[in-house]
Amino acid sequence: MEYTNTLEFAKKLDATDPLSYLRDEFHFPEINGKPALYFTGNSLGLQPVNAKEYINEELESWRQLGAEGHFQGKRPWFHYHKFSKESLAKITGAKPNEVVAMNNLTTNLHLLMVSFYRPNRISYKIIMEAGAFPSDMYIIETQVRYHGYDPGDAIVEVKPRKGEYCLRNEDIIKIIRQNAGSTALVMFSGVQYYTGQFFNIQAITRAAHDAGAYAGFDLAHAVGNVILKLHDDEVDFATWCSYKYLNSGPGNTAGIFVHENHGQRTDLLRFGGWWGHDEQKRFLMEKGFIPMKGADGWQLSNVNVLSTAAHLASLAIFDKAGIKKLREKSVNLTGFLAFIVNEPGSDQISIITPANPEERGCQLSLVIHKKGKEVYDYLTRNRVIVDWREPDVIRVATVPLYNSYEDVYRFGNLLHKALTV
Ligand SMILES: *Cc1c(COP(=O)(O)O)cnc(C)c1O
């Protein structure tokens, strides 16, 4: 798409955007009585207007039915984890039985590693990206220690080349090959939280399998943002949270993917709970754990219904919009942002996110070379909500569900002003 940095151009794009109606389905935060320019959907997605209604429906069921709500009402709680499957499957490129919403991301990653990180003296390493999100670093460090290995030896980090921020796919593949045989697990994020780089999930998974390792992904910044093909790419397992691009509310339920190659296996060790137990026999309260087939067999507890209601509310919007259409708009919206940031005269800023749309989602990470914090503060004073990361990075996410081209234009205008004050 050819861009022009004018308000008229932005307005024209909004007028012809088939998804522009979705903006009204979200509540925008207000600052001093005026709506904010919100670009932090990578951290916490906005509240869907229908969330209240979905939560109220469950409050009503609880009020009117009490325990009978498990089997009666519009969405009986006994089946609650099933109501998100179709939508999550579409968003992640999975089959419905390969996905389930449960727990929180960090908990899920530990649970999945119980099954998929089974180190032995020959094969015990985990290959991951350097500079991963802290929770992922701690998960992997403590898992390695739990099994009696030394993190310094067992964790192999792939680092950017000198002077670069992002990882080169060829470097990732090379390190996996070099550690073939001694690697038990390759664990990456889908979209890197700091740089916004979208890793090549298919290539990483293939290389992991060729090296005799499992491939797992933390999709916190990828789900609802980029096109995923977890089933076809033969990813072994993945997990994500639902409060970033999935707009389900702070700390809300996460999700997991387990490839059907593994979901049918009964030999995989796991930590069991009654909600993962054979549904037909769940209330017989008998000894002997029989896991459900598919991802459901990793569930532990019954569903946190009140908050998961908000998850369903948001997924209903994704169903209406369709992830492919959202991604098409997303590429154009982020392209517009990149165009504006790169305007002549903006050599005070570098975009560290890959320039190729296929290697990024909707987030751009901007390094502000001088007085970054002052630029950030100027933006904040002007009702812009973006995210500041020490020492000099501003992360901006243009979310196709609720951001407009006009938002992007206005942001660019304020950014250029901030650089000249
Ligand atoms: C947001 C995020 C998390 C958060 O973990 P929670 O268990 O939901 O608190 C973990 N990992 C990555 C990569 C994230 O981006």
Side-chain angles (χ1 to χ4, degrees):
M1 185 181 274
E2 290 278 319
Y3 298 109
T4 320
N5 185 9
T6 63
L7 182 59
E8 290 63 42
F9 177 78
K11 284 189 164 172
K12 207 174 84 191
L13 288 185
D14 285 327
T16 54
D17 168 15
L19 298 181
S20 60
Y21 74 98
L22 291 166
R23 185 176 172 92
D24 292 337
E25 309 216 357
F26 293 88
H27 291 293
F28 276 77
E30 293 194 351
I31 299 175
N32 299 330
K34 288 186 188 161
L37 280 171
Y38 195 79
F39 300 105
T40 324
N42 55 346
S43 183
L44 187 75
L46 291 180
Q47 182 182 135
V49 172
N50 64 352
K52 202 178 221 169
E53 177 192 322
Y54 273 68
I55 294 170
N56 277 338
E57 280 172 6
E58 300 313 332
L59 284 171
E60 273 305 298
S61 283
W62 181 22
R63 191 169 71 92
Q64 292 175 14
L65 301 167
E68 295 301 315
H70 281 104
F71 297 100
Q72 292 176 29
K74 189 166 166 190
R75 298 187 191 89
W77 307 325
F78 180 80
H79 301 288
Y80 217 76
H81 61 276
K82 297 173 192 166
F83 303 135
S84 52
K85 276 178 182 291
E86 292 283 341
S87 316
L88 288 173
K90 277 185 235 154
I91 290 170
T92 58
K95 296 186 176 181
N97 72 339
E98 291 176 316
V99 291
V100 71
M102 64 181 211
N103 308 325
N104 285 80
L105 190 167
T106 303
T107 314
N108 288 342
L109 202 41
H110 275 299
L111 291 174
L112 289 163
M113 284 182 75
V114 166
S115 300
F116 293 99
Y117 180 54
R118 305 278 308 141
N120 57 51
R121 263 187 301 153
I122 296 162
S123 170
Y124 60 94
K125 288 181 193 162
I126 299 178
I127 299 179
M128 66 186 293
E129 84 238 32
F133 191 87
S135 208
D136 301 57
M137 293 198 273
Y138 308 147
I139 292 162
I140 291 177
E141 179 193 324
T142 55
Q143 282 275 340
V144 163
R145 281 194 207 283
Y146 176 76
H147 287 283
Y149 295 86
D150 168 14
D153 173 37
I155 301 173
V156 179
E157 289 187 339
V158 185
K159 297 188 176 73
R161 294 188 188 184
K162 205 166 183 297
E164 297 183 7
Y165 287 90
C166 293
L167 297 180
R168 298 200 193 186
N169 189 52
E170 65 207 81
D171 292 352
I172 300 173
I173 305 303
K174 194 170 117 196
I175 290 185
I176 296 173
R177 286 200 182 129
Q178 282 168 350
N179 290 280
S182 61
T183 300
L185 175 64
V186 176
M187 179 77 231
F188 269 74
S189 55
V191 172
Q192 223 282 341
Y193 86 100
Y194 190 81
T195 63
Q197 180 178 14
F198 179 20
F199 293 119
N200 188 331
I201 291 177
Q202 184 183 65
I204 293 172
T205 301
R206 281 196 188 152
H209 290 171
D210 289 345
Y214 285 128
F217 290 87
D218 179 335
L219 302 174
H221 282 259
V223 73
N225 177 17
V226 291
I227 301 292
L228 296 165
K229 311 185 282 14
L230 299 183
H231 177 85
D232 288 347
D233 286 348
E234 304 209 317
V235 166
D236 295 296
F237 69 91
T239 182
W240 55 85
C241 52
S242 71
Y243 49 82
K244 292 172 180 166
Y245 296 109
L246 293 187
N247 318 306
S248 302
N252 203 354
T253 185
I256 67 164
F257 165 88
V258 176
H259 199 281
E260 72 178 354
N261 292 341
H262 307 301
Q264 313 296 324
R265 285 169 60 182
T266 48
D267 64 312
L268 267 184
L269 290 176
R270 66 186 92 190
F271 288 169
W274 75 320
W275 228 252
H277 184 75
D278 182 357
E279 185 180 280
Q280 307 302 324
K281 304 205 169 126
R282 193 172 295 151
F283 287 105
L284 297 180
M285 311 306 208
E286 289 173 344
K287 273 192 187 171
F289 177 64
I290 306 165
M292 296 279 294
K293 292 257 167 68
D296 288 6
W298 271 265
Q299 293 176 103
L300 297 184
S301 297
N302 74 100
V303 178
N304 187 334
V305 168
L306 291 184
S307 67
T308 305
H311 188 39
L312 297 184
S314 174
L315 291 175
I317 304 176
F318 274 90
D319 283 343
K320 200 157 55 172
I323 188 73
K324 288 215 172 74
K325 287 216 180 84
L326 285 169
R327 175 64 175 155
E328 276 168 31
K329 174 176 173 186
S330 174
V331 167
N332 291 335
L333 207 55
T334 304
F336 188 38
L337 176 64
F339 173 81
I340 291 175
V341 172
N342 284 330
E343 281 255 287
S346 344
D347 49 0
Q348 287 155 274
I349 311 178
S350 313
I351 302 175
I352 62 173
T353 308
N356 178 358
E358 290 180 8
E359 293 173 38
R360 70 185 184 202
C362 70
Q363 171 189 324
L364 293 184
S365 302
L366 317 178
V367 171
I368 316 291
H369 295 297
K370 270 188 247 150
K371 300 188 187 170
K373 194 71 205 308
E374 287 171 34
V375 171
Y376 171 75
D377 289 341
Y378 178 89
L379 292 171
T380 305
R381 280 200 301 282
N382 286 280
R383 290 187 285 112
V384 178
I385 303 182
V386 286
D387 170 277
W388 169 255
R389 293 279 137 163
E390 293 291 343
D392 53 7
V393 168
I394 293 177
R395 298 187 305 167
V396 190
T398 51
V399 175
L401 278 170
Y402 48 74
N403 282 125
S404 63
Y405 293 92
E406 184 174 336
D407 285 347
V408 174
Y409 169 80
R410 293 195 184 282
F411 170 79
N413 202 4
L414 287 166
L415 180 68
H416 288 297
K417 275 189 192 147
L419 291 169
T420 50
V421 286

